[in-house]
Amino acid sequence: MVTVSSVVCPVCGCLCDDLEVEIENGRIIAVRNACSVGEAKFLNYWKHRNKPMVRKNGELIEVSIDEAIRKAAEILAEAKYPILYGWSSTTCEAIKVGLELAEELGGVIDNTATVCHGPSLLAIQDVGYPGFTLGQSRHRFDLVIYWGSNPWSAHFRDLDRYSAFSEGRFQISAWRRAFAKVYARIAAKKMNAASKRTAAKYAVSPPFGSELVDTLLREDRKLVVVDVRRTATAFKADYFLQVKPNKDFELLQAFRVLVKDGELDVDEVAGVPVELMEEVVDVMINCRVGVLYFGVGLTMSKGKIRNIEAAINLTKELNARTKFHILPMRGHYNVTGANVVFAWTTGFPYAVDFSHGYPYYNPGETSVVDILCRGETDASLVIASDPVANFPKKAVKEMVSNPLIAIDPAPTPTTLMADVVIPAAYAGIEAPGTAYRMDHVPISLRKVVEPPPGCIPDEVIVKRILNEVRRLRRG
Amino acid sequence: MEIIILKPKREFKVPIFAECITPDILAGKTLSEIEKLPVIEGGKETNLCELFQIEGKTGSSPNDTKIKLVGDFSKVRCIGSEMTDGEIIVEGNAGLRLGEKMRGGRITVHGNAGSWLGTMMVNGEIEVFGDAGHYIGSSYRGAREGMRSGTIKVHGSAGSEIGNFMRGGTIIIDGCVDIFAGIHMQGGEILIRGDSAGRIGAFMRGGKIVLCGYTPSVLPSFTIEELRPKVKIAGERIEETFYLFIGDHADEGNGKLFISKDRNPHLKHYERFL
Amino acid sequence: MSKALLIKNGIVYDPLNGIDGERMDIAVKNGVIVEDVSGKDIEVIDASGMIVMPGGVDIHAHIAGSEVDAGRLLRPEDHIKDVEPKTPYTRSGVGYSVPSTWTTGYRYVRMGYTTVMNPSMPPLEARHTHEELNDTPIIDKATYPLLGDSWFVLEFLSRDMIEECAAFVAWMIKATKGYAIKLVNPGGLETWGFGGNVESIDDQVPYFNITPREIIRGLCKVNKLLNLPHTIHVHTNNLGKPGNYLTAIRTMDCVKDLADGERAIHVTHCQFSSFKGVDWATMESGADAIARYVNMHDHVTIDMGQVIFTDTTTMTADGPFQYGLHLLTGNKWVNHDVETETSSGIVPFRYRPKSIVHAVQWCIGLELALLIKEPWKVFVSTDHPNGGPFFKYPDVISWLMSEKARKTVMKKMRKAALKRTTLPSIDREYTFYEVAIATRAGPAKALGLENKGHLGVGAIADIAIYAINPENVNPSRDYKLIRNAFSRAAYTIKSGEIVVKDGKVVGYAQGKTYWVDVEISDEAMETIKMLGEVFKQYYTVEFENYPIPEDYLAASHRIPRKSGI
């Protein structure tokens, strides 16, 4: 049995790199330090693996990997406007080759930001982005706001590894605060009871109110949650603002006015009373360093990119009063990497069209969901993602009506609908490579076990398809 | 006036990038030269005659060149790109980015138009008899250079974020609009005769928007200024009562938002500030 | 690579070997300059009537890494105005102020540049810099890790533990595959972690019991102990603030006693640190004071940081400065505070000739180059893209060589601006020899790159040939010809391969990433091992995952050094 430490978890944007993995007979049998989702991946990766397949007469038939790659290349070389989609659960090295393939084909390449944090990227392009790496959160931030994001259920280790419940050089954990709060409440209850007795006995002024609880709590770090429902994270928060669904934009704009000492003509915004808003604004202005983490609650509710724009503007404006940051909670473990590699190769982070021989970018025009809904493509390659399960119905219908190539370690709805299936090795478990954490820190994924026979790294698969396409097109 | 007529030879699947379909490029060319003009289909370069049946002739200059596009042009993008003069008539639907960076001349669409109609327009006239998409008269991503002057008229309805970063000129929508009409507006005028889905004038710094129809709410970062018995916009005078809101205060804006009083009884509570 | 090349009859400028416009043949074999070549398979380039120089060396240009990529992401509108379609030899891309990596490499070699130094690498994100450098074709490159605000450095130096600090810095340079020690607003970036800044080199950095002066001196000592090929590379405190010329002079002066007769400090993009005045209304050029200091002291080198009148993108590790620029312009602003180490900021910026401040800035860069007498002390740069895009270097060369060219630009400026600088009264014009120093030989020497920046036997065959004949051309009058010639090299040869002909990329060579491997004693290694525990407290990545293995680099060029620890 072998133990490997400092293993990087290839699941979510937290990209935790402190996992310990035990291997026996070439298989992982135990994992330490991972959350339940990470653990599940490391213990079950070897089950339900794909084989190379090509659809013949309506049926997916197992073939050699060479034949599958050849068929994939034929489909792409013949297509006039193919789309290459996914790229977020694989390595940067594979993405680099994918971009080269898209340029060779003159098609469109897009990554999962297009259905997730694309709006965040678009907002950044309009207004910028005061950001940081996660260690800053641990060390300095004494106000943490989660808006439209529920790390307790989606980025499991975020809170205790990087955020409100972590311990840093200048900050102690909010867990201590949570305990302190409980003790303070007990103490306040005792004091209130005592003072009632005293008041009754000696007819003195009324007992202490909730101010006592607050003054007893001299802890710095505060947690604020803004969401449409009371999430698991909200239960741990000092302030929870329940915002009416699809009204986040209004609430953010109203916050901006209050932060600049302006006045509102209304009593409540998006279901939140203005008095509560004013209290939260006070907390924001008086913090030492604050952060606004946000998730799909903002990017995919009404307003999308403009919700993010308002949130970024709010953060920028808070920097005039104190120090404030913002960060999107990225989902896939390397979607940030996809944006980064796309940007250095083409100048643009996603939705890149190579029809004219150079990169062109216009989300809404060059993003794959829109292209599919307009019925404008004639072939797709999907890698490291599952659009058949996630995309709007109209887009899925269009996608499966054209030739579809799927590259994935395991069967998914996308692979089941594909015309060519190519089995990949799991990046971060069976293949090494670079991935970028949601705060843009690059970390090297490790290979800890060998892939099953016939499964090869994404980078190699895409490279072989590229070589075959070149051979077909250039002769 | 000379007219040149283009008809699609077949149904298009992948997008056609037709930056060459403008009076500026077609003027002064023989039919044979026009047929050979390069156009991109998907990712492959081809010739105009491969895709379109072409008849007629163009004038010697853009000014006396009239282009008629007959059929379904909904997959044909960038028609009228950067044109300075002349006329384009689309008898059918037109694709994305119609009249992009237009500097003059006139485009008429007797069907629907796609998104990015008149994006980055410098001057000129566009009239769409059907519906239009999103981002009419807008800027490109990351830039603040929306429509500078000129007129865009849509007789049907339009999508969201029309007039994004608009600097001048006029947009008139006879039908309804989706959210964020006049977003980031810096100058110019927008007239909406139908309803809006909301969030009019978000991030607005200047300019004037008139809504004759219904809107579910006004952004909290706008304040009520006064009631106006009538309003002048786009050369018209509308004799109706309007609420005048100023905003967007979140951006230190001084834009003017006129909202119909009759069609928005739920906004009556603002009157207590008057 | 095994090809033999003979460049015949060119007019050679090779300042490191004292060659000033001599007609000579240059022979190349196996990627290296040799005495001569013989045999059959020799490719001959007829360089008659053309200038032959070593390939250009850029000592400071932001071309790769997290800060640059954030700039690329920020500015799609900058990209679409300058696209590069693919060709049989080149990948496609986008240009202007934040080009994509492929385009960056191609545009440099088109100008005859063959070596570029990326100056700002946050060590935690070093992998990003190297991934991008791997995708920057043809040119040789290196990068400087930002160390001036690293918690470990601050703590060691505040306790005067110079040797331990040196061990840590040696480990860092190797772990991040870096080349030199970079300081940006030392002390200021840590203070920015809480939203503040330092205002003089003697301000205390909160929580760390140290001043910028101590950081600069400490790292200067470390640099000497480690025997690094370059000096410390410093972006001064108070960058871009009226009156900051005093900070620049104090910065240069504070390490004077450590020089030992050698160079001790390189002040980068010095233009931005050469302002007199107390506010923007009274801002004027402090270039004469800086030049006077540099003329009197031999321990300093600088690069210009020349401004170009265009729409560009500012990006530096100086987070607080960039925030200030955002407040000044209202433009979109990206900030990125890197834990335990550094920060960065990006703001688009347009320099206008009619702006008095911008005009003075334009003048300052040139004043510095023209008033500093010793050409080995001052190098051409625009601090790309902060002052302007790097492919405008030929404009800078034309301004250095021609007073008339300068006057043409100054005509667009307000008289009030011209009163605040001495440039109108300067008539000095650079010679080709001096241009060769400022763009090749000088930077190569300051960087300690022994086999670059010259055309002597043994040098790497990085050669630029420009279609301009010094015997027929009067650069002072014909500055447009100069500009055009330097924009499109007649030939660029990289490691013996012809990669550019007539300003077009026609070939490929594998550019290498240079990095320094300082040998340290076992005892010093012990210090590093002990840091492991504290490392876990400070960083959010594991100690084992921090260093980059050598094979991460597409083509590694390791430079071993022996140190004093």
Side-chain angles (χ1 to χ4, degrees), chain C residues 6-207:
Chain C
L6 183 61
I7 302 165
K8 283 192 79 69
N9 223 12
I11 299 158
V12 176
Y13 291 89
D14 183 6
L16 277 166
N17 294 311
I19 296 173
D20 184 1
E22 273 174 50
R23 221 172 233 104
M24 281 173 68
D25 291 350
I26 306 280
V28 171
K29 193 168 168 132
N30 290 335
V32 162
I33 296 184
V34 295
E35 194 68 57
D36 55 56
V37 283
S38 55
K40 286 188 281 188
D41 206 7
I42 305 174
E43 183 159 356
V44 175
I45 295 177
D46 181 5
S48 315
M50 298 205 270
I51 285 179
V52 179
M53 286 191 183
V57 177
D58 193 344
I59 198 169
H60 186 111
H62 298 263
I63 59 168
S66 66
E67 172 191 285
V68 180
D69 213 29
R72 285 188 194 107
L73 192 147
L74 184 69
R75 303 213 67 191
E77 80 281 9
D78 180 86
H79 302 325
I80 52 163
K81 62 188 187 194
D82 185 12
V83 296
E84 290 263 350
K86 67 177 183 188
T87 74
Y89 291 101
T90 61
R91 293 282 298 272
S92 69
V94 294
Y96 221 72
S97 69
V98 211
S100 51
T101 55
W102 296 90
T103 304
T104 301
Y106 303 138
R107 287 192 177 184
Y108 264 109
V109 295
R110 282 193 212 139
M111 289 195 304
Y113 268 72
T114 50
T115 307
V116 180
M117 300 280 141
N118 181 62
S120 253
M121 172 173 72
L124 176 62
E125 298 176 330
R127 277 172 175 75
H128 190 163
T129 301
H130 286 290
E131 282 205 286
E132 291 199 15
L133 290 178
N134 285 344
D135 271 3
T136 307
I138 308 175
I139 55 175
D140 285 340
K141 45 252 169 180
T143 179
Y144 313 148
L146 290 153
L147 294 170
D149 289 80
S150 157
W151 283 1
F152 290 103
V153 167
L154 299 184
E155 284 171 357
F156 281 133
L157 293 181
S158 67
R159 292 173 177 77
D160 222 9
M161 296 164 71
I162 303 289
E163 303 220 340
E164 288 80 355
C165 186
F168 173 72
V169 169
W171 178 82
M172 258 293 189
I173 291 180
K174 180 170 181 167
T176 60
K177 300 292 173 288
Y179 190 85
I181 300 174
K182 177 77 188 292
L183 290 80
V184 171
N185 186 6
L189 308 189
E190 164 51 38
T191 316
W192 178 240
F194 283 114
N197 197 2
V198 294
E199 303 202 337
S200 89
I201 65 170
D202 292 303
D203 275 3
Q204 280 288 334
V205 176
Y207 299 107

Side-chain angles (χ1 to χ4, degrees), chain C residues 369-519:
Chain C
L370 295 164
L371 292 172
I372 292 174
K373 302 195 182 107
E374 171 63 75
W376 294 94
K377 288 180 181 173
V378 54
F379 316 133
V380 167
S381 78
T382 59
D383 187 21
H384 164 85
N386 289 284
F390 65 82
F391 52 84
K392 298 282 190 182
Y393 290 167
D395 286 71
V396 180
I397 293 173
S398 75
W399 297 328
L400 289 170
M401 297 190 86
S402 161
E403 190 190 358
K404 182 165 165 224
R406 299 196 288 267
K407 281 193 155 46
T408 310
V409 179
M410 289 194 277
K411 272 204 199 81
K412 299 187 206 160
M413 300 176 186
R414 298 219 159 95
K415 289 204 178 57
L418 296 173
K419 289 205 185 102
R420 300 176 187 214
T421 153
T422 65
L423 190 66
S425 66
I426 301 177
D427 59 8
R428 178 181 168 199
E429 292 175 331
Y430 266 44
T431 62
F432 284 110
Y433 190 77
E434 288 169 329
V435 167
I437 295 173
T439 58
R440 294 133 221 271
K445 182 163 183 226
L447 288 165
L449 289 165
E450 281 161 6
N451 296 328
K452 282 186 179 289
H454 70 99
L455 298 173
V457 169
I460 296 177
D462 290 349
I463 306 166
I465 305 175
Y466 298 106
I468 198 141
N469 190 340
E471 289 163 11
N472 301 344
V473 164
N474 174 354
S476 178
R477 183 191 63 213
D478 303 321
Y479 62 88
K480 287 192 184 148
L481 288 175
I482 299 288
R483 191 183 62 210
N484 293 342
F486 278 95
S487 304
R488 311 164 48 93
Y491 290 90
T492 307
I493 292 137
K494 176 76 193 76
S495 303
E497 293 291 328
I498 300 175
V499 291
V500 168
K501 240 186 208 164
D502 225 3
K504 286 200 176 54
V505 175
V506 297
Y508 185 76
Q510 177 66 61
K512 297 205 167 87
T513 302
Y514 281 48
W515 60 280
V516 177
D517 188 0
V518 182
E519 198 186 290

Side-chain angles (χ1 to χ4, degrees), chain A residues 79-80 125-126 246 250 253 256 260 265 302 306 309 355-356 360-361 365 375-377 398 473, chain B residues 13 17 19 42-44 75 77 97 116 140-142 161 183-184 199 224 248 250-252 273:
Chain A
K80 282 191 177 150
Q125 290 171 336
D126 273 345
N246 291 312
E250 280 78 5
Q253 289 291 82
R256 289 179 67 202
K260 294 192 229 200
D265 274 359
K302 186 154 142 189
R306 306 305 172 193
E309 182 175 344
S355 60
H356 289 54
Y360 170 66
Y361 164 81
E365 177 185 0
E376 282 178 343
T377 177
E398 175 67 23
R473 280 197 170 187
Chain B
K13 169 99 176 137
F17 295 93
E19 292 96 335
K44 301 209 155 60
K75 295 220 175 158
R77 300 184 193 171
R97 297 159 67 193
W116 288 286
Y140 179 71
R141 297 289 173 192
E161 305 208 7
I183 185 173
H184 295 122
R199 297 186 177 161
I224 185 115
D248 187 335
D251 292 84
E252 284 91 38
F273 291 103

